[in-house]
Amino acid sequence: MAPIRVGLIGLSTAASPQRPGAWAVLAHLPSILNSPDYQLVALANSTVESAKRSIEFHNLPPETRAYGNAVDLAQDDEVDLVVVSVNVQKRPNLVKPAILAGKDVFVEWPLGANSQEAREFASLAKAHGSRTIVGLQARADPLVLKTREVLASGKIGRVTSSSVFGCLSPLSTDVWIPGAEYYLDMESGGNAFTIFFGHFLDTFASVLGDFTNIQSILKTQYPTTNIVNDEGKVVHANHPKSAPDHIFVQGALEGGAVASLSFRSVPSAVDRTGFRWLISGTKGEIEVTVPELGWQLRSSEAALKVRVGKEEDIETVDLSTDPTSTKVPFPGSNTAGLYDAFAKGDSSKYATFEDAVKTHHLLDRIIQSSKLS
Amino acid sequence: MAPIRVGLIGLSTAASPQRPGAWAVLAHLPSILNSPDYQLVALANSTVESAKRSIEFHNLPPETRAYGNAVDLAQDDEVDLVVVSVNVQKRPNLVKPAILAGKDVFVEWPLGANSQEAREFASLAKAHGSRTIVGLQARADPLVLKTREVLASGKIGRVTSSSVFGCLSPLSTDVWIPGAEYYLDMESGGNAFTIFFGHFLDTFASVLGDFTNIQSILKTQYPTTNIVNDEGKVVHANHPKSAPDHIFVQGALEGGAVASLSFRSVPSAVDRTGFRWLISGTKGEIEVTVPELGWQLRSSEAALKVRVGKEEDIETVDLSTDPTSTKVPFPGSNTAGLYDAFAKGDSSKYATFEDAVKTHHLLDRIIQSSKLS
């Protein structure tokens, strides 16, 4: 089969993961270049010159086409898939032209700046027959896939509850990066709640089922932070932060289990664990642990343990990954997994716009519930 | 100072900790006998003969007085402190005579079968000038005392949140002991909710402060169990169990922190941990871990860790105990600590009736909140 021809929007020349705009460089570019199923044929940036600079900077073939806007890229007949890897606030004008032109579309998470926008994208894609992918990378994470397998095996019986400690320590409470202020803003749609928590929530609900009722507390214990530049200079002291740094959710799940998620901000986790996720059943229990980093990033130190009954031995599940996605190093390996699953048509390992809309909706319900408490 | 003369109600001849009625044998008797501050002078059981059998069985001095009811014991002028160690449902007629006779009183937890009864005891004790102790043993646990110390030191700064995983695995979901059916019954007042969860809740709120608002879910995932006798025979199949086996609580605390407690039933804990309690602050974080047993029982495997800032080293706090209470072995050592603190007048290490009423009230609020969800 001929490779899927990709047009990528948002490939900067940033190299450091701390830089806004680095994600396309760290995740999309190596995923596309390392896959036999994809071919990068075009870039679109804010100007043609910027796109050309990226082509040169990343040593892409000189025949790679350079566009200065998303509409021109969308008109390129030799592009099959448009990848949109830019801050959520800039997306509407980038996503829609691709869909209207009948392209398949890969959009980073969050899909929209709010549920309504996400639903709009999903309806439009459906109407125009676009196949869709959302950058909910953990859907391709071997940790998550193996967790699903253990659950499906029946080893732990019927799931009765699930409890999670999440640690927001990768997000500093006292300094922040210029240009990424949107992450501090609850209204931006791309913040600690929708991104850091949202990635985990998407996994949680897609593995265990949706919430049938929700109780939540969203608390901002650190209402300001300092914006500090590369030289260590405070460029904006006491910048307001409305995004919550404590996200406490509990409720009942569709299958009858009860659930509790408590996400906290702290300088660093006393147990060196960023996520500790228990899934408890009538016959046994699962523990998933991941170090202090974003849930979606696939850590080599992640662990999946299973204890059946009162057995003394606790099984550590092998998380060896398939060769396809491990060709791309951290933090891009799960993105490579999404590309791979999409090429193979295996929708159990990537999220569509419809899937993302569900997670948007669940985030909305958590916000609504927090206003009642 | 002359030793405090004790009259003990409820000393059986049971020896196994699995037996109803064993608590006085395992905790009160060794605590009293090993302390220079106390002298056991009288027993009251359901009959004088039963009290005499216990005196003989436990090799108590022959001059120990034997009573067949609580009123007679209360009239003994040479008793200073009456200890009531019987199932909560039998207590009213045992506690009140002692208070009315002006004795000091030590009552096991829960203080009352409900808040109202507990309040009644507390008012009566206040009116009659009785000094009181409640068997909330963890108040004397070095683990709890050291946790208070770390918090008071300011090492972790202002407390912003606290999250707890509790595991009810010490309470089997499929078999139960004849004679202890009250533990399965939400109405009895002495069950998994008030006892297993209540002991931890008392510590939590006395260390971190009361809840200013509460959201809760009480769920019974195992609505029946089998009552099985010593010979392994099922004496009552599918005995109803109304006490919750999943207790999920979240809310805000007086000091502004947010809190989450999720207590689950499972055959055994995948992390071999019965309680994992995080206390997170602006400058650092505490983790308390205890193996799978009752919170109040003082485990030699309990651990208290502190991480300050982003320091690589995590401090393990020394929990070496004072010599007084360690003379009494597991599971009585914390009870010995309560006796010791009472004799020394150190109310920071034991709970009074007033303290217990607060915890009763908090349990009530959790029940009320669960009915709203």
Side-chain angles (χ1 to χ4, degrees):
Chain A
M1 208 176 78
I4 297 166
R5 296 165 300 179
V6 178
L8 175 54
I9 304 179
L11 184 69
S12 73
T13 56
S16 152
Q18 298 305 320
R19 288 290 186 147
W23 186 248
V25 179
L26 295 166
H28 289 282
L29 186 63
S31 296
I32 298 163
L33 297 182
N34 277 284
S35 170
D37 299 321
Y38 293 89
Q39 185 187 1
L40 184 58
V41 299
L43 298 188
N45 283 9
S46 52
T47 63
V48 172
E49 290 66 38
S50 162
K52 283 184 176 168
R53 274 199 301 278
S54 283
I55 289 168
E56 195 178 348
F57 182 85
H58 295 292
N59 295 312
L60 299 177
E63 65 270 25
T64 309
R65 296 181 289 284
Y67 295 106
N69 61 70
V71 175
D72 290 350
L73 175 69
Q75 301 313 316
D76 187 327
D77 286 342
E78 296 184 0
V79 165
D80 306 306
L81 172 70
V82 172
V83 176
V84 182
S85 179
V86 299
N87 168 358
V88 67
Q89 299 190 284
K90 300 174 184 161
R91 282 196 206 138
N93 297 328
L94 309 179
V95 174
K96 286 181 185 174
I99 298 175
L100 293 172
K103 308 296 186 194
D104 292 339
V105 194
F106 185 153
V107 178
E108 272 306 324
W109 172 259
L111 174 57
N114 50 56
S115 282
Q116 194 190 327
E117 188 173 287
R119 277 196 300 272
E120 209 180 303
F121 289 164
S123 304
L124 206 63
K126 196 174 175 190
H128 288 79
S130 294
R131 294 184 307 156
T132 58
I133 321 172
V134 176
L136 286 158
Q137 296 97 19
R139 296 247 182 169
D141 195 316
L143 178 67
V144 174
L145 300 174
K146 292 282 183 182
T147 301
R148 286 185 195 278
E149 269 181 42
V150 174
L151 286 169
S153 76
K155 265 185 193 174
I156 71 157
R158 177 174 65 86
V159 174
T160 46
S161 73
S162 185
S163 297
V164 186
F165 289 167
C167 186
L168 294 155
S169 55
L171 310 175
S172 169
T173 53
D174 47 4
V175 296
W176 199 249
I177 314 151
E181 289 86 349
Y182 61 86
Y183 210 94
L184 308 171
D185 177 10
M186 190 55 169
E187 300 306 315
S188 76
N191 49 47
F193 178 67
T194 59
I195 298 177
F196 192 97
F197 176 71
H199 274 288
F200 181 82
L201 185 69
D202 176 73
T203 295
F204 187 87
S206 67
V207 168
L208 293 177
D210 201 357
F211 282 76
T212 55
N213 78 49
I214 293 181
Q215 301 173 339
S216 72
I217 299 169
L218 303 181
K219 176 99 179 172
T220 304
Q221 295 280 21
Y222 300 88
T224 63
T225 189
N226 296 313
I227 310 298
V228 177
N229 69 12
D230 278 359
E231 287 80 45
K233 194 183 157 216
V234 175
V235 295
H236 188 171
N238 300 317
H239 185 92
K241 180 171 78 64
S242 56
D245 39 53
H246 286 75
I247 302 161
F248 282 40
V249 177
Q250 64 187 18
L253 303 179
E254 285 165 345
V258 286
S260 167
L261 293 79
S262 61
F263 278 59
R264 71 200 187 280
S265 279
V266 76
S268 63
V270 63
D271 58 353
R272 304 186 201 275
T273 300
F275 296 84
R276 186 184 298 277
W277 179 14
L278 300 179
I279 306 175
S280 311
T282 50
K283 294 181 184 169
E285 189 165 56
I286 292 171
E287 182 190 48
V288 172
T289 51
V290 170
E292 294 169 78
L293 45 71
W295 172 253
Q296 70 277 17
L297 299 178
R298 187 188 298 192
S299 163
S300 58
E301 294 167 57
L304 170 58
K305 292 182 180 174
V306 185
R307 187 173 190 180
V308 174
K310 290 185 178 291
E311 280 178 16
E312 200 43 45
D313 284 351
I314 293 171
E315 181 193 0
T316 299
V317 178
D318 180 18
L319 298 176
S320 301
T321 55
D322 60 282
T324 314
S325 59
T326 47
K327 277 193 292 188
V328 175
F330 180 90
S333 33
N334 280 340
T335 297
L338 298 181
Y339 276 100
D340 187 51
F342 180 75
K344 294 189 170 123
D346 181 357
S347 63
S348 71
K349 296 180 185 168
Y350 72 92
T352 64
F353 281 13
E354 294 290 347
D355 295 323
V357 165
K358 285 184 196 163
T359 298
H360 268 291
H361 182 56
L362 184 50
L363 287 168
D364 280 357
R365 290 169 66 203
I366 290 170
I367 295 173
Q368 288 309 316
S369 162
S370 76
K371 290 177 179 164
L372 301 175
S373 75
Chain B
M1 208 175 79
I4 297 166
R5 296 165 301 180
V6 179
L8 174 55
I9 304 179
L11 184 69
S12 74
T13 55
S16 152
Q18 297 307 319
R19 288 290 188 148
W23 187 248
V25 179
L26 296 166
H28 289 282
L29 186 63
S31 295
I32 298 163
L33 297 182
N34 278 284
S35 170
D37 299 321
Y38 294 89
Q39 185 187 2
L40 184 58
V41 299
L43 298 187
N45 283 9
S46 52
T47 63
V48 172
E49 290 65 38
S50 162
K52 283 185 175 166
R53 274 199 301 278
S54 284
I55 289 168
E56 195 177 347
F57 182 85
H58 295 292
N59 295 312
L60 299 177
E63 65 270 25
T64 309
R65 297 181 289 285
Y67 295 106
N69 61 69
V71 176
D72 291 349
L73 175 69
Q75 302 312 316
D76 187 327
D77 286 341
E78 296 184 1
V79 165
D80 306 307
L81 172 70
V82 172
V83 176
V84 182
S85 179
V86 300
N87 168 359
V88 67
Q89 299 191 284
K90 300 175 185 161
R91 282 197 204 136
N93 297 328
L94 309 179
V95 174
K96 286 181 185 174
I99 298 175
L100 293 172
K103 308 296 186 194
D104 292 339
V105 194
F106 185 153
V107 178
E108 272 307 322
W109 172 259
L111 174 56
N114 50 56
S115 282
Q116 194 190 327
E117 188 173 287
R119 277 196 301 272
E120 209 181 303
F121 289 164
S123 304
L124 206 63
K126 196 174 175 189
H128 288 78
S130 294
R131 294 185 307 156
T132 58
I133 321 171
V134 177
L136 286 158
Q137 296 97 20
R139 296 248 182 169
D141 195 316
L143 178 67
V144 174
L145 300 173
K146 292 282 183 182
T147 301
R148 287 185 195 278
E149 269 181 42
V150 174
L151 285 169
S153 76
K155 265 185 193 174
I156 70 156
R158 176 173 65 86
V159 174
T160 46
S161 73
S162 185
S163 297
V164 186
F165 288 167
C167 186
L168 294 155
S169 55
L171 310 175
S172 168
T173 53
D174 47 4
V175 296
W176 200 248
I177 315 151
E181 289 86 350
Y182 61 87
Y183 210 94
L184 308 171
D185 177 10
M186 191 56 170
E187 300 306 315
S188 76
N191 49 47
F193 178 68
T194 59
I195 298 177
F196 192 97
F197 176 71
H199 274 288
F200 181 82
L201 185 69
D202 177 73
T203 296
F204 186 88
S206 67
V207 168
L208 293 177
D210 201 357
F211 282 76
T212 55
N213 79 48
I214 293 181
Q215 302 172 339
S216 72
I217 300 169
L218 303 181
K219 176 98 179 173
T220 304
Q221 295 279 21
Y222 300 88
T224 63
T225 189
N226 296 313
I227 310 298
V228 177
N229 70 12
D230 278 0
E231 288 80 44
K233 195 183 156 215
V234 176
V235 295
H236 188 171
N238 300 317
H239 185 92
K241 180 171 78 64
S242 56
D245 39 54
H246 286 75
I247 301 160
F248 282 41
V249 177
Q250 64 186 18
L253 303 179
E254 285 165 344
V258 285
S260 167
L261 293 79
S262 61
F263 278 59
R264 71 199 188 280
S265 279
V266 75
S268 64
V270 62
D271 58 354
R272 303 186 201 275
T273 300
F275 296 84
R276 186 185 298 277
W277 179 14
L278 300 179
I279 306 175
S280 311
T282 50
K283 294 181 184 170
E285 189 165 58
I286 292 170
E287 182 190 48
V288 172
T289 51
V290 170
E292 294 169 78
L293 45 72
W295 171 253
Q296 70 278 18
L297 299 178
R298 187 188 299 192
S299 163
S300 58
E301 294 167 58
L304 170 57
K305 292 182 179 173
V306 185
R307 187 173 190 180
V308 174
K310 290 186 178 291
E311 280 178 15
E312 199 43 44
D313 284 351
I314 294 170
E315 181 193 359
T316 299
V317 178
D318 180 18
L319 298 176
S320 301
T321 54
D322 60 282
T324 315
S325 60
T326 47
K327 277 193 293 189
V328 175
F330 180 91
S333 32
N334 280 339
T335 297
L338 297 181
Y339 277 100
D340 187 51
F342 180 75
K344 293 189 170 122
D346 181 357
S347 63
S348 71
K349 296 180 184 169
Y350 72 93
T352 64
F353 281 13
E354 295 290 346
D355 295 323
V357 165
K358 284 184 197 165
T359 298
H360 268 290
H361 182 56
L362 184 50
L363 287 168
D364 280 357
R365 290 169 66 204
I366 290 171
I367 295 172
Q368 288 310 316
S369 162
S370 77
K371 290 177 178 164
L372 301 175
S373 75

